[in-house]
Amino acid sequence: MHSYLKFLSWMPAALKMPEDELISHAGLDSAVYLRIYLVGLKIFAPISILAFSVLVPVNWTNDTLEFSKVQHNNIDKLSISNIPVGSKRFIAHLSMAYVFTFWTCYVLLREYEIVAQMRLRFLASEKRRPDQFKVLVRNIPPDPDESIGELVEHFFLVNHPDHYLTHQVVFNANKLAKLVKEKTKMQNWLDYYQLKFERNASKRPTTKTGFLGCFGAKVDAIEYYKSEIEWIENEEAEEREKIVKDPKSVVPAAFVSFRSRWGAAVCAQTQQTSNPTVWLTEWAPEPRDVYWDNLSIPFVSLTVRRLIVAVAFFFLNFFYVIPIAFVQSLANLEGIEKAAPFLKPLVEIPTIKSFIQGFLPGIALKIFLILLPTILMFMSKVEGLTSISSLERRSASKYYIFIFFNVFLASIIAGSALEQLKSYNHQSANEIPRTVGVAIPMKATFFITYVMVDGWAGVAGAILRLKPLVIFHLKNFFLVKTEKDREEAMDPGSIGFDSNEPQIQLYFLLGLVYAVVTPFLLPFILIFFGFAYVVYRHQFLLLGLLSTKGAGQSTPVLLVLPVVTFYFHKYCKNRYEPTFVKCPLQEAMKKDTLERAREPGFDLKGYLMNAYIHPVFKGDDDDEKFSIVDEPEAEQVLVATKRQSRRNTPVPSKYNSSDSSSLPEIVNDQRL
């Protein structure tokens, strides 16, 4: 017992750290993610108390299900299905529906205000970062007289003369990246065989040149991989030179640097030209967050890509219903006995029968969804998003939509229908909708097991780190050849935002939907949020270091709730969303002013010069970078262009014979 309590000593330690210290240790995103679980506790703790104090006694003190033909169990007697048709007891459920809704809105409103203030304080206190001064510009229109780099410099010197500092064009380096990745792979094999030879110098290691080293001619492994690396290095050098010299390797996008956060905020949050489809600007992601593979995708193809992905996602949702319904049909005694009659004696054993009725449906559904996050992440990458965080958010939104339709709605409708097949056989067609309406609240039993399998077991797996442990041992057995490989295999990875966050939303949905109709589900939701809050707080420290019941007269009263909820959503979206997607100019100016006073001689241009270099252009040492930026002289104001036309800007080129005003004169006129 003492050892067990000692094992749980991490819980109070995880809860003791103040939130400000947690932010400095693990970042603002981690603190806000933890608050999601805290919101779950704030919402469902009072709701659970009220539901068990008011609704459970109201439901339990009836005997409607005892005299009905609906398949049910004792837990179902705690649901609204046990209320007789037209009973005045529905007033309690209507009242609680309003109370629960207003309480949820109140908690969310308070939390939005807290998180918005947390973000503003964090922006005011955080250190200088390159992305604070950088803007990603896409869909730069082609110009017959100027390269992309010249065009970007010319455009921003004209339209942002006081704030433009420098820029970095974006190269299509995907082929080079593949060569670098292949060379790294070959180098790992070379290191492995060299270590093997050092341990046993009496025998030279050999390998086969064919597929996976299992086919082809047998050769000396060390000499083979040395020759392969030499060949790849030559290809890499040629490709690198081609990228730098070939104008076609430059894509119509660039990272533009500004002298101040204020200047970057103005550019990122405004329309640059009268044509809203060109010179598109947005905040640049952090350098480590850039998804370089998608920067080379032509902007005009993004609309087509997103349409294709939307259609594919629709069919994925549609066809996934079929196997889920099949799983639901097998995850009950009748389905198993019908599909495999020889298993009937086995499934009638009390222990196995309880397991099938209790946990098998949730386990089967969980197994069926294992590959889904990978599929949705691939679809998000096809859409052409340019940052890893945006890929995770888009994948998370797809995942939530998927589990809403296929886990929530499909499980309720298909599962309830399958469970009541016996009742349908003895009823008229007019009675079937009422039977489904009665059965849906009783489907809470399935979701209780799903929360236990997916939520509780998931939290336990998070604290035990089972998934990273299994992955590490698989990599260690099949892939690890050197110490560098072992270090990479030991990387704990992220929390899996794209799959974990939609599951949290599902638990919120289940709790709010079943709070009135089947309150018995609430304690399981509450336990999940409580344990998850403690566990993930510890993990972040570790990583960072009613119409179907015949109550038709009550339906108009309930219609007010969706209207109120929608209005609340619109209000919160308009009030708080800009805080998270835009940078207030007032805050940007305040930060710039303080920084200039503290560090008046700071070389911002040097700091931003190579901040957004593609990883393949970086050396082994992060401080040694392959510079691909041709910077103009410090005192040069006039843009050295080759433009003969004035299609994009009225400023003339110094290479033509125009007698028009020079750029400095135009800029000075603009300042007057």
Side-chain angles (χ1 to χ4, degrees):
M1 183 66 180
H2 176 72
S3 300
Y4 181 75
L5 293 176
K6 187 176 181 180
F7 168 74
L8 297 177
S9 61
W10 58 268
M11 286 189 175
L15 294 172
K16 286 179 181 178
M17 179 175 283
E19 191 169 61
D20 291 339
E21 187 176 344
L22 176 66
I23 293 174
S24 63
H25 184 80
L28 179 64
D29 290 344
S30 300
V32 173
Y33 185 82
L34 281 175
R35 293 197 70 90
I36 299 176
Y37 296 104
L38 196 58
V39 168
L41 292 173
K42 290 180 179 179
I43 290 176
F44 291 113
I47 286 179
S48 299
I49 295 173
L50 273 176
F52 272 79
S53 301
V54 178
L55 297 181
V56 168
V58 171
N59 296 336
W60 179 257
T61 54
N62 284 278
D63 54 4
T64 303
L65 291 177
E66 290 289 339
F67 301 98
S68 69
K69 299 179 181 180
V70 175
Q71 302 294 322
H72 67 278
N73 54 45
N74 289 332
I75 294 179
D76 298 329
K77 295 179 181 179
L78 302 176
S79 73
I80 199 173
S81 299
N82 203 30
I83 303 294
V85 175
S87 173
K88 293 183 178 180
R89 295 192 178 202
F90 282 123
I91 296 176
H93 299 82
L94 293 173
S95 303
M96 288 299 103
Y98 273 90
V99 171
F100 296 165
T101 300
F102 287 133
W103 172 249
T104 302
C105 292
Y106 171 76
V107 172
L108 290 176
L109 189 65
R110 290 288 303 274
E111 194 64 24
Y112 287 147
E113 187 68 35
I114 293 172
V115 174
Q117 292 300 321
M118 287 172 61
R119 172 172 164 79
L120 292 176
R121 287 198 305 269
F122 179 78
L123 291 177
S125 62
E126 68 176 337
K127 297 179 180 179
R128 182 190 295 111
R129 293 201 322 267
D131 57 287
Q132 297 170 350
F133 302 87
K134 289 273 188 176
V135 171
L136 174 59
V137 184
R138 304 186 73 185
N139 207 26
I140 300 171
D143 192 284
D145 301 322
E146 292 185 329
S147 67
I148 295 295
E150 294 169 334
L151 187 58
V152 170
E153 184 183 14
H154 201 174
F155 180 86
F156 283 95
L157 275 175
V158 170
N159 297 288
H160 298 268
D162 296 327
H163 305 286
Y164 169 74
L165 182 61
T166 184
H167 71 277
Q168 292 166 276
V169 294
V170 177
F171 294 88
N172 184 355
N174 290 348
K175 183 178 179 181
L176 179 59
K178 292 180 181 178
L179 289 172
V180 172
K181 184 178 180 180
E182 183 66 18
K183 186 179 75 170
T184 303
K185 177 183 175 182
M186 293 296 174
Q187 186 64 50
N188 285 346
W189 278 111
L190 177 60
D191 294 342
Y192 167 71
Y193 283 114
Q194 285 177 335
L195 288 172
K196 186 176 181 180
F197 181 63
E198 289 175 2
R199 293 169 183 166
N200 185 11
S202 62
K203 183 180 179 181
R204 297 280 295 187
T206 60
T207 187
K208 293 184 178 181
T209 59
F211 180 69
L212 294 178
C214 300
F215 305 95
K218 183 180 290 188
V219 297
D220 184 286
I222 295 178
E223 296 300 325
Y224 171 73
Y225 283 109
K226 281 183 177 179
S227 63
E228 288 292 307
I229 291 173
E230 183 179 357
W231 180 83
I232 294 175
E233 285 178 343
N234 293 333
E235 290 287 314
E236 181 183 341
E238 293 178 6
E239 182 66 19
R240 191 186 298 270
E241 185 177 359
K242 176 184 176 182
I243 289 174
V244 174
K245 294 183 177 180
D246 187 2
K248 294 182 180 179
S249 297
V250 181
V251 301
F255 291 100
V256 180
S257 303
F258 291 83
R259 300 180 185 276
S260 64
R261 295 175 182 83
W262 191 91
V266 170
C267 179
Q269 297 167 185
T270 55
Q271 181 176 315
Q272 302 303 306
T273 69
S274 57
N275 184 353
T277 64
V278 297
W279 294 102
L280 303 178
T281 58
E282 60 183 277
W283 280 107
E286 291 186 48
R288 60 181 177 175
D289 191 36
V290 177
Y291 189 70
W292 294 95
D293 292 353
N294 282 355
L295 285 177
S296 60
I297 297 175
F299 191 85
V300 293
S301 69
L302 293 182
T303 302
V304 178
R305 283 170 166 262
R306 288 169 184 171
L307 177 61
I308 293 173
V309 169
V311 174
F313 181 63
F314 170 79
F315 283 105
L316 179 67
N317 270 278
F318 181 78
F319 287 110
Y320 232 94
V321 174
I322 299 173
I324 285 181
F326 177 72
V327 169
Q328 289 289 333
S329 68
L330 293 181
N332 59 74
L333 295 177
E334 292 79 6
I336 294 176
E337 291 175 357
K338 184 177 180 181
F342 60 90
L343 292 178
K344 185 175 181 180
L346 180 64
V347 298
E348 291 297 333
I349 299 175
T351 304
I352 297 178
K353 184 176 182 180
S354 300
F355 174 80
I356 293 174
Q357 291 179 325
F359 290 97
L360 184 60
I363 294 174
L365 184 58
K366 182 65 177 177
I367 293 174
F368 220 77
L369 299 177
I370 286 178
L371 295 178
L372 183 62
T374 304
I375 297 173
L376 297 181
M377 178 58 74
F378 172 77
M379 296 174 70
S380 299
K381 290 178 179 178
V382 172
E383 288 187 273
L385 300 173
T386 57
S387 67
I388 298 173
S389 57
S390 63
L391 287 173
E392 290 183 338
R393 289 194 298 270
R394 184 63 62 87
S395 182
S397 65
K398 289 186 178 70
Y399 195 25
Y400 177 72
I401 294 172
F402 184 93
I403 60 177
F404 174 77
F405 284 103
N406 288 278
V407 176
F408 180 68
L409 291 182
S411 295
I412 285 179
I413 297 173
S416 300
L418 290 170
E419 287 178 359
Q420 304 303 324
L421 282 177
K422 289 184 178 179
S423 300
Y424 298 160
N425 294 332
H426 302 86
Q427 289 180 340
S428 65
N430 295 333
E431 293 294 323
I432 291 178
R434 176 171 294 182
T435 302
V436 173
V438 173
I440 285 176
M442 298 190 301
K443 197 60 183 172
T445 306
F446 164 76
F447 288 116
I448 288 174
T449 61
Y450 183 78
V451 170
M452 294 173 68
V453 171
D454 183 66
W456 291 13
V459 171
I463 192 58
L464 296 175
R465 305 295 295 166
L466 290 178
K467 182 178 178 181
L469 182 65
V470 172
I471 292 175
F472 165 73
H473 283 291
L474 289 175
K475 288 182 177 179
N476 190 45
F477 185 79
F478 293 104
L479 302 177
V480 170
K481 299 175 289 294
T482 63
E483 286 300 321
K484 184 178 180 181
D485 289 342
R486 183 169 285 104
E487 291 177 1
E488 293 177 354
M490 291 182 67
D491 182 8
S494 66
I495 61 170
F497 177 85
D498 55 322
S499 57
N500 284 347
E501 196 274 339
Q503 290 174 335
I504 299 172
Q505 292 190 46
L506 176 64
Y507 299 145
F508 273 104
L509 176 67
L510 292 176
L512 293 173
V513 167
Y514 279 95
V516 174
V517 296
T518 312
F520 193 75
L521 178 67
L522 290 174
F524 297 88
I525 299 288
L526 192 62
I527 292 172
F528 163 76
F529 280 112
F531 280 141
Y533 175 74
V534 177
V535 167
Y536 279 103
R537 189 177 179 91
H538 173 268
Q539 294 301 84
F540 282 128
L541 296 178
L542 179 62
L543 293 176
L545 201 301
L546 286 166
S547 58
T548 58
K549 290 292 296 178
Q553 66 275 11
S554 64
T555 303
V557 179
L558 286 176
L559 289 178
V560 179
L561 279 182
V563 176
V564 173
T565 305
F566 177 76
Y567 176 78
F568 175 77
H569 164 73
K570 296 295 292 184
Y571 169 78
C572 291
K573 185 178 179 65
N574 295 332
R575 170 61 180 84
Y576 297 107
E577 188 180 46
T579 305
F580 302 95
V581 298
K582 296 180 180 179
C583 177
L585 296 181
Q586 183 183 26
E587 298 296 325
M589 179 62 76
K590 186 188 300 183
K591 186 74 173 177
D592 290 331
T593 304
L594 289 173
E595 208 163 78
R596 290 194 199 100
R598 292 170 181 168
E599 302 177 76
F602 181 76
D603 182 15
L604 184 61
K605 188 172 185 178
Y607 174 71
L608 299 173
M609 182 74 69
N610 290 324
Y612 282 81
I613 295 293
H614 194 291
V616 298
F617 292 109
K618 297 180 180 180
D620 294 334
D621 187 351
D622 289 342
D623 296 330
E624 298 178 2
K625 299 184 177 67
F626 179 78
S627 179
I628 55 175
V629 182
D630 296 326
E631 287 297 319
E633 298 179 3
E635 300 298 326
Q636 182 178 354
V637 178
L638 187 65
V639 185
T641 69
K642 302 175 183 177
R643 174 178 286 120
Q644 302 298 323
S645 65
R646 300 185 183 181
R647 183 173 58 188
N648 290 318
T649 174
V651 178
S653 167
K654 75 173 185 179
Y655 294 107
N656 63 27
S657 57
S658 174
D659 295 329
S660 303
S661 302
S662 65
L663 177 59
E665 293 173 350
I666 292 178
V667 172
N668 288 333
D669 291 341
Q670 291 175 346
R671 293 175 178 174
L672 295 177

